[in-house]
Structures are given as structure tokens and as C-alpha cells.
Amino acid sequence: MSSKILVVATCFGRRVGAQLNYFRARGNLVKNYHVSPCLSAVGAWRKEQGLSVNPTASGPLTDGPDYSFIDGRPTPPGSRKIKRAEKQLQLAKKIIELSKEVDFAVEFRKQRDEEEMAQKAKTLQRKLKPKGKEMEE
């Protein structure tokens, strides 16, 4: 069986993995593949404009409903919209949890510093003090 060497050139980075898997499944050897710089150039431009690098991550086509009812009833959310909402909920829960941990650490540090100051004050209070009247010069 002879091995074929394929060079895959594409501008769409997401398709590369699917193409490689397609060729590997057919027994072809995929030695080199190249992703065109246009993907990084478009990503850089989108970043400069304040947009997400992935154009399909959000937007009217992604966030809006797939269809609408004539009588105006609301459409049920799509499966991906539900997944995005669940992911956002999990991120919010994680942020709250980590925020509570930071608040606890700050409060614990403050309490420990106050205890150290009290301990130092107590130690200074217990120190031997000179007896008698001090001589004035």
C-alpha cells in the first residue's frame, strides 16, 4: 500500500481538523498542512474593532430566533442558546464563588493583622519599665 502525502491549504482554520480526519480515515498520510494568514489577519482586524475573533460567536444570526410565529407567540430558545445560557450561569456561579473566597481571604488577613497588632501591643505593655523619677537635665 503506497502512502499519499497531502498538503491542505485553507483560510478557514476550523475546517482543517475535519479535513485531516477525513483524509486519515481513508488511510491517507497527512504530513503537512498550512493555514493561510488571512485567518489571523481577519482576527486581528476584528480585535482592533472591538469584536470577537470568531464572527459566529455572537450576533443577530446567532442570538436571534430561527423562526417566528405569525400570531406573535415567543419562539422557544434553540439548543445552542440554552447551552450558552447554562455556560453563562456556570461562569456566574464560579465568579461568585471565587469572589467569596477572595473576600474571605481579605477579611482573614485583616483579622490576622489586627491580632498581630494586639499581640505586639500586649508585649510592649508587659515590658519592664524604668523605676523612679527620671532626672531632668
Side-chain angles (χ1 to χ4, degrees):
M1 181 160 99
S2 66
S3 297
K4 297 178 185 176
I5 298 176
L6 293 173
V7 177
V8 179
T10 181
C11 183
F12 303 103
R14 290 181 175 213
R15 292 185 184 173
V16 171
Q19 289 173 351
L20 292 177
N21 290 336
Y22 172 79
F23 291 124
R24 284 186 188 134
R26 300 212 166 356
N28 295 326
L29 174 65
V30 179
K31 188 172 182 180
N32 299 327
Y33 71 92
H34 170 73
V35 177
S36 173
C38 71
L39 182 64
S40 60
V42 170
W45 179 85
R46 290 183 62 82
K47 260 189 185 174
E48 288 173 4
Q49 302 303 316
L51 303 168
S52 66
V53 177
N54 182 0
T56 60
S58 64
L61 295 176
T62 306
D63 298 334
D66 293 334
Y67 59 91
S68 60
F69 292 109
I70 294 174
D71 61 357
R73 288 181 290 158
T75 57
S79 61
R80 289 188 179 171
K81 190 169 188 175
I82 292 171
K83 286 180 185 176
R84 279 196 305 273
E86 288 174 354
K87 186 177 179 181
Q88 290 295 320
L89 183 65
Q90 293 300 324
L91 284 173
K93 285 181 181 179
K94 186 71 173 176
I95 288 169
I96 290 170
E97 177 185 336
L98 293 175
S99 176
K100 286 180 181 178
E101 287 181 15
V102 168
D103 291 343
F104 173 77
V106 167
E107 195 63 35
F108 181 77
R109 176 65 185 224
K110 183 179 175 184
Q111 191 177 36
R112 196 174 85 196
D113 288 345
E114 288 174 0
E115 288 174 1
E116 285 179 10
M117 293 293 285
Q119 185 67 27
K120 284 181 182 178
K122 190 175 180 182
T123 304
L124 288 174
Q125 191 177 18
R126 276 198 244 148
K127 265 188 167 181
L128 293 175
K129 305 220 176 7
K131 293 185 179 182
K133 295 184 181 180
E134 291 184 21
M135 299 202 53
E136 296 179 19
E137 293 183 26

